[in-house]
Amino acid sequence: MSGVLLATAGYDHTIRLWEAPSGVCYKTMQHPDSQVNKLEITPDKQYIAAAGNPSLRIFDINGNSPNALSSYDGHTNNITAVGFQKEGKWMFTGSEDGTIKIWDMRAPGCQREYESGSPLNTVMLHPNQAELISGDRDGNIRVWDLTQNACSAELVPDGAKAIRSVCISRDASLLAAANDAGSCFVWRLGRNDDSSAKFEPLQKLQAHATYVLKVIMSPDGKRLATCSADQTVKIWDIQNNFACDKTLTGHQRWVWDAVYSEDSAYLATAPSD
């Protein structure tokens, strides 16, 4: 894991960069305006975006300044999602104000906005770079077609139970979503005749007895991890009919986030302890 960088942020108004193998913190950046809800590193690994309330700040990973380079304003509540187009040309944000915004990285201001009508907990960019998939507090999963500039599909897997997290496999074959009832849904992704997204139900896991706060798939597509308010992380074997491979324990509080290393060999978890 040499050369692996880990970035963390939280309610202490800082962003910290760590050498993953040694656990040494080698840089701290300041985010004085609010807590940090989400982090995302640009595809070229030069910058990091910190989603706060209600603004998003961009920091230079390799520069000397501990302060933000730029700010993206326009949301009116917590930003809960941020991500970049694969070449770093534009980014998207999702917020509890119910909107998704598209920002051109080379021009000021918000270029496009989608109104969800419900506070957004999660937004992911499809690997095809042409669709966004969102999950909201009212239990809706929506596909936003960036080419058609409209919502092209809608799914309500479990009534009004809030969707906390969605993730899509690298090869775009599977979509997973987790909710407040501890359920994790997995669909096989396809296309309808009009090329809109088609969801074929594959699996419903009663993964935890309480909130699932994050669901992610490993880069190699073999495992699915669920993080929960029950203080555990569970690993599910996708290739073995989603059997529970192991339960990771030791945290003393809700586990909010997790990320796989690029080689799928390591999992980093972030709880509120």
Side-chain angles (χ1 to χ4, degrees):
M1 271 186 96
S2 62
V4 174
L5 165 73
L6 191 64
T8 62
Y11 276 68
D12 65 357
H13 295 229
T14 68
I15 299 156
R16 298 180 192 274
L17 301 180
W18 310 79
E19 292 172 358
S22 65
V24 172
C25 175
Y26 69 89
K27 186 172 184 178
T28 301
M29 294 173 282
Q30 304 300 322
H31 193 275
D33 305 328
S34 76
Q35 81 281 358
V36 179
N37 301 316
K38 221 66 177 174
L39 288 176
E40 190 69 32
I41 294 172
T42 55
D44 64 9
K45 310 286 195 290
Q46 297 298 306
Y47 303 98
I48 191 164
N53 183 6
S55 299
L56 183 126
R57 303 270 190 266
I58 301 285
F59 294 81
D60 187 345
I61 289 175
N62 303 304
N64 295 320
S65 173
N67 302 314
L69 291 177
S70 55
S71 177
Y72 291 79
D73 306 301
H75 285 296
T76 57
N77 207 327
N78 276 303
I79 298 174
T80 53
V82 56
F84 292 94
Q85 184 260 356
K86 65 180 178 182
E87 289 156 2
K89 291 179 179 175
W90 50 267
M91 75 176 171
F92 65 87
T93 52
S95 169
E96 288 180 355
D97 66 12
T99 66
I100 296 171
K101 294 182 188 290
I102 308 284
W103 313 81
D104 191 321
M105 302 305 290
R106 301 153 297 183
C110 167
Q111 269 62 49
R112 205 182 280 187
E113 180 176 296
Y114 299 112
E115 181 63 59
S116 169
S118 177
L120 292 161
N121 292 324
T122 178
V123 185
M124 286 288 292
L125 177 61
H126 192 288
N128 66 14
Q129 310 293 297
E131 291 168 308
L132 293 169
I133 300 169
S134 67
D136 66 36
R137 196 180 289 171
D138 289 335
N140 306 296
I141 296 169
R142 291 192 175 97
V143 179
W144 306 89
D145 188 315
L146 303 180
T147 309
Q148 295 178 15
N149 206 16
C151 177
S152 61
E154 191 173 285
L155 203 61
V156 186
D158 205 10
K161 299 180 180 77
I163 302 294
R164 284 282 158 193
S165 180
V166 296
C167 72
I168 189 165
S169 60
R170 285 270 175 99
D171 65 1
S173 65
L174 299 178
L175 175 75
N179 71 12
D180 272 2
S183 302
C184 181
F185 299 85
V186 185
W187 297 270
R188 198 175 295 287
L189 278 181
R191 293 285 158 191
N192 294 308
D193 292 340
D194 62 357
S195 85
S196 62
K198 181 170 82 175
F199 303 91
E200 180 192 325
L202 188 62
Q203 189 71 254
K204 178 188 177 181
L205 302 167
Q206 191 52 49
H208 300 265
T210 183
Y211 309 137
V212 179
L213 302 166
K214 179 85 172 192
V215 57
I216 53 166
M217 281 182 257
S218 58
D220 63 11
K222 293 179 180 177
R223 289 178 181 83
L224 180 131
T226 54
C227 305
S228 174
D230 68 8
Q231 306 174 9
T232 71
V233 178
K234 291 187 180 180
I235 312 294
W236 308 84
D237 188 340
I238 294 174
Q239 296 174 319
N240 186 25
N241 200 32
F242 294 89
C244 185
D245 192 29
K246 57 186 71 162
T247 301
L248 308 179
T249 60
H251 288 307
Q252 306 300 315
R253 297 283 178 87
W254 292 18
V255 187
W256 286 96
D257 209 350
V259 62
Y260 272 102
S261 60
E262 195 61 30
D263 62 3
S264 302
Y266 294 88
L267 184 74
T269 57
S272 38
D273 61 16

